[in-house]
Amino acid sequence: ELITLATINGAVVLWMFGDAIGCPAVLAAMLALATLLCTGVLTWRDCLEYTPAWDTLIWFAILISMSNGLNESGLINTFAGMVGDKLNALNLGWQVRALNDGEIGICKSVIL
């Protein structure tokens, strides 16, 4: 239990301050997993048998790859611009202008 507690605390600290020290979040997660495996807290069989984790990892990788591709192709910015123009054309007032200008940042953050 102490090893698990120390590993989780270390991972959380690396996730919080990783950017400042040049440690990406993925590396923090992999270090935590490696620590648990090397100390015997987890076995590789435990990791393989927990299929929901693998399902999540695969779907997350697919979604990230697709979003990167759409962003690099310029489709995301084009779509955001078209939606913003249509909302401005409706002349709904300050709410739509705030969304389109990024003051609230909902449209751009959701679409990007």
Side-chain angles (χ1 to χ4, degrees), residues 52-89:
W54 291 106
D55 292 342
T56 302
L57 179 67
I58 290 169
W59 282 110
F60 188 68
I62 291 169
L63 290 172
I64 294 297
S65 297
M66 289 176 62
S67 69
N68 283 340
L70 290 172
N71 198 23
E72 287 176 5
S73 72
L75 183 68
I76 300 293
N77 286 332
T78 302
F79 181 73
M82 289 172 35
V83 169
D85 292 343
K86 296 293 182 189
L87 289 174
N88 277 335

Side-chain angles (χ1 to χ4, degrees), residues 1-14:
E1 292 177 1
L2 291 176
I3 294 171
T4 303
L5 180 65
T7 303
I8 291 172
N9 285 337
V12 169
V13 168
L14 283 176

Side-chain angles (χ1 to χ4, degrees), residues 22-44:
C23 177
V26 172
L27 180 59
M30 294 305 292
L31 285 172
L33 178 61
T35 301
L36 293 174
L37 287 171
C38 289
T39 57
V41 174
L42 281 178
T43 64
W44 189 244

